[in-house]
Amino acid sequence: MKINLIKGDITKFKVDAIVNAANSSLLGGSGVDGAIHRAGGPAILEACQHIRNKQGSCKVGEVVISTAGNLPAKKVIHTVGPVYQIGKNNEKEKELLANCYQNSMLLAKENGLTSIAFPNISTGIYRFPKQVAAEIAIITVQNNPILEEVNFVCFDEENHTIYKKLLSNE
Ligand code: ADP
């Protein structure tokens, strides 16, 4: 399994599946979710509405797959990250964040996909500390070599610096 680190916009990324840090409604939101729906066009929202009609909302740590619409990627995997609880130990939230990464890779594999790109799930409005979230993301991917290629796409400088350091300490 190859692990790559990229700084940039995940919507521009040509890979089998890009992962969306969605919310449980699956109907779009701000941050990377908004960027993916904007760049991918209405086909993604339509697909998500269809999924919602069938199964209801998506639970934290779980995943669904949709078309990628106009994006260069083949598919979008939507996962719902946990909201970090300030002042609590967040053991459950850490586990749920790991589930997001693991379940995304498993769903990609089930769909015959071999490469995936992850944003830094839960480190935006869901306010997970970036260092903690990066450690969970990297360990979960390394311990689960399910796909051939995993790309971590960092949009902000702080995440990129954290990932660079963690991945070069191998
Ligand atoms: P969450 O609700 O899971 O915290 P956000 O979208 O608010 O989701 O933030 C998750 C991460 O996505 C943040 O680190 C943010 O910098 C990053 N991000 C925002 N836009 C993009 C984009 N176009 N491509 C990749 N990452 C993005």
Side-chain angles (χ1 to χ4, degrees):
M1 179 185 50
K2 203 166 178 304
I3 296 180
N4 302 313
L5 172 62
I6 297 102
K7 184 163 188 299
D9 179 352
I10 203 165
T11 65
K12 307 266 195 290
F13 215 70
K14 193 169 180 220
V15 70
D16 284 351
I18 64 164
V19 175
N20 180 19
N23 59 53
S24 58
S25 80
L26 296 175
L27 299 181
S30 58
V32 69
D33 195 5
I36 287 172
H37 281 282
R38 266 195 309 279
I44 300 179
L45 184 59
E46 214 174 281
C48 287
Q49 270 160 340
H50 193 73
I51 293 165
R52 248 183 80 101
N53 291 342
K54 269 202 341 214
Q55 67 158 59
S57 61
C58 184
K59 294 198 181 78
V60 177
E62 296 190 356
V63 290
V64 301
I65 191 165
S66 78
T67 174
N70 302 326
L71 298 175
K74 289 186 192 155
K75 294 282 183 184
V76 176
I77 291 177
H78 307 263
T79 188
V80 182
V83 176
Y84 192 83
Q85 307 298 319
I86 306 282
K88 305 257 172 73
N89 72 12
N90 286 278
E91 287 315 313
K92 186 74 199 157
E93 285 72 19
K94 289 176 192 169
E95 221 173 274
L96 290 167
L97 185 60
N99 292 350
C100 290
Y101 285 91
Q102 187 171 3
N103 288 332
S104 295
M105 293 187 289
L106 287 170
L107 188 58
K109 175 94 176 174
E110 267 171 47
N111 282 271
L113 307 172
T114 61
S115 58
I116 199 165
F118 285 109
N120 308 128
I121 301 166
S122 286
T123 67
I125 50 168
Y126 286 0
R127 59 180 186 237
F128 236 87
K130 291 178 181 177
Q131 178 73 30
V132 178
E135 286 168 8
I136 292 167
I138 291 170
I139 286 169
T140 304
V141 166
Q142 285 174 337
N143 289 346
N144 295 279
I146 295 163
L147 301 175
E148 286 171 20
E149 185 190 308
V150 174
N151 300 279
F152 289 115
V153 182
C154 299
F155 192 64
D156 59 88
E157 190 62 51
E158 192 186 347
N159 265 313
H160 186 247
T161 305
I162 291 168
Y163 272 78
K164 211 161 121 185
K165 192 139 183 270
L166 286 171
L167 288 168
S168 66
N169 282 346
E170 297 305 306

